[in-house]
Amino acid sequence: MSYKVAAAQVAPAFLDLAGSVAIAERWIAEAGAAGVKLVVFPEAWLPGYPVWLDNAPAAAAWGSPDGKALYRRLFDNSPTLDCPEIAQICAAAKRAGVFVIMGMNEKDGRTLYNTLLYISEDGVITGKHRKLVPTYTERLIHGMGDGSTLTVVDSPTLGKVGGLVCWEHWMPLARQAMHGKHEVVHAAVWPTVSDLHQLGSRSYAFEGRTFVVAVGSVLRRAHLPPPGTFALLDAMPGDQFQSGGSAVIGPDGSYLAGPAGDEEGLVIAEVDPARCTEELMTLDVSGHYARPDVFHLHVDERERQLLTTTATATATAAAEAGTYGAHAAGVGRGQGPDLAPRL
């Protein structure tokens, strides 16, 4: 059955968590009122992509007080998954009856991650994905994700929904791992969906035979904190730092909506999951158009932890022993930490 999806091409309240949540609530409500069933927000949208990394001349200066001040502001306004602000967004999703994929700076312990958060139309967190490799200057801000969050959510109403962040769309093995999970709709989140990013999004749709919601943000100088607040932001030349370009792309690589310009709004299209099946007749990169006798991909989906305790190790060993015993008996196949999917 067909349903509507949308790219939320909107500006956050830059580096202001509470303000950004209020904006998200409004656009989620608008999406619901428009009959949208899935809405996707841009990369690191909550509470704003760190645009100074690419635009401020001294962004990477070692020990810069200005850089530290901005990082502190971002850190202090980045949510944890169990914070009240995320609960507000979950409640907004439930009120609107909309599945939300939120791009965010996720705070976990003392590190930030470039994360996609999946929230069902019932307001329940159903998964997350952390960007595997922060791109270029992002490594000043974000930590690396691991294979445990190569997430595809199997939604009863939407089908299988997944996503990748920005330049992950040029990681061939990450793409293959996701294609093997048979997405119906894929969220491709970017700071701006430039011409190059359009290419990556359309290529992903064609290769994976999936619908792609490619979403970029809008950010102008007027959206930034007042002049004099942060020297690095004041030093950025120009007035436009993120320029939208959002689109919805079909499983044959064609545009269903967009690419949009640089104004705020929802980019909406109707998707029919049956079209994915039709396109699979000619290309299925994890099925009839694959050669597992020649090429083999092993995906390690274990969560990587720096610190473990004796209690943690004992519990993990017991779980693995139970899994392997079940596997030897012919049940529980592929469920253990070391029995990751093989494509």
Side-chain angles (χ1 to χ4, degrees):
M1 188 173 72
S2 300
Y3 54 85
K4 290 181 179 178
V5 300
Q9 181 175 290
V10 296
F14 193 67
L15 301 183
D16 178 348
L17 178 57
S20 295
V21 168
I23 292 171
E25 289 176 309
R26 190 184 63 144
W27 285 104
I28 292 168
E30 289 204 20
V36 168
K37 297 303 179 185
L38 168 67
V39 63
V40 184
F41 285 78
E43 178 179 4
W45 185 86
L46 191 67
Y49 182 83
V51 292
W52 64 90
L53 296 177
D54 292 327
N55 291 281
W62 184 269
S64 163
D66 297 332
K68 291 179 180 180
L70 264 176
Y71 178 76
R72 177 180 174 182
R73 174 69 171 264
L74 175 63
F75 188 90
D76 289 346
N77 281 270
S78 293
T80 59
L81 298 190
D82 59 354
C83 71
E85 290 81 5
I86 294 298
Q88 285 180 250
I89 295 175
C90 290
K94 184 175 181 178
R95 286 194 302 271
V98 176
F99 192 112
V100 176
I101 301 179
M102 175 60 68
M104 58 184 282
N105 297 275
E106 176 203 355
K107 181 163 55 182
D108 185 5
R110 299 193 293 181
T111 291
L112 298 180
Y113 297 91
N114 193 337
T115 296
L116 290 179
L117 186 64
Y118 297 85
I119 302 170
S120 75
E121 62 271 25
D122 298 321
V124 176
I125 295 174
T126 55
K128 70 178 180 184
H129 168 63
R130 287 177 175 172
K131 190 174 183 179
L132 293 169
V133 181
T135 303
Y136 195 43
T137 53
E138 291 170 7
R139 295 175 201 182
L140 294 170
I141 297 292
H142 294 135
M144 291 186 175
D146 60 33
S148 70
T149 68
L150 284 170
T151 300
V152 171
V153 176
D154 195 354
S155 163
T157 54
L158 306 176
K160 293 185 176 181
V161 179
L164 292 174
V165 180
C166 199
W167 276 38
E168 287 185 311
H169 291 89
W170 288 298
M171 297 178 72
L173 300 185
R175 294 201 313 268
Q176 183 63 60
M178 297 296 285
H179 294 330
K181 298 184 179 187
H182 308 150
E183 296 164 288
V184 172
V185 180
H186 175 85
V189 301
W190 311 85
T192 294
V193 194
S194 64
D195 287 345
L196 189 62
H197 301 160
Q198 299 287 347
L199 176 65
S201 300
R202 294 183 69 188
S203 177
Y204 190 96
F206 183 89
E207 183 179 74
R209 292 333 210 190
T210 181
F211 292 95
V212 169
V213 181
V215 58
S217 192
V218 173
L219 193 73
R220 301 184 178 89
R221 189 165 294 280
H223 295 121
L224 303 181
T229 308
F230 294 104
L232 282 181
L233 298 183
D234 293 345
M236 297 190 303
D239 181 66
Q240 185 97 32
F241 307 111
Q242 292 178 287
S243 303
S246 302
V248 180
I249 302 159
D252 60 352
S254 65
Y255 286 113
L256 303 180
D262 61 5
E263 297 302 319
E264 293 188 80
L266 297 174
V267 180
I268 300 174
E270 188 163 322
V271 303
D272 179 1
R275 282 199 58 201
C276 298
T277 303
E278 293 173 355
E279 297 302 329
L280 286 167
M281 184 177 74
T282 52
L283 180 67
D284 180 1
V285 297
S286 57
H288 67 77
Y289 216 86
R291 285 292 304 275
D293 56 325
V294 179
F295 305 108
H296 172 84
L297 173 63
H298 171 81
V299 183
D300 187 344
E301 293 193 339
R302 290 174 294 179
E303 182 179 1
R304 297 297 183 175
Q305 296 179 337
L306 174 65
L307 176 65
T308 58
T309 64
T310 301
T312 303
T314 301
T316 300
E320 290 180 356
T323 298
Y324 296 150
H327 180 64
V331 296
R333 190 176 185 89
Q335 299 301 309
D338 286 324
L339 299 176
R342 288 166 170 79
L343 303 176

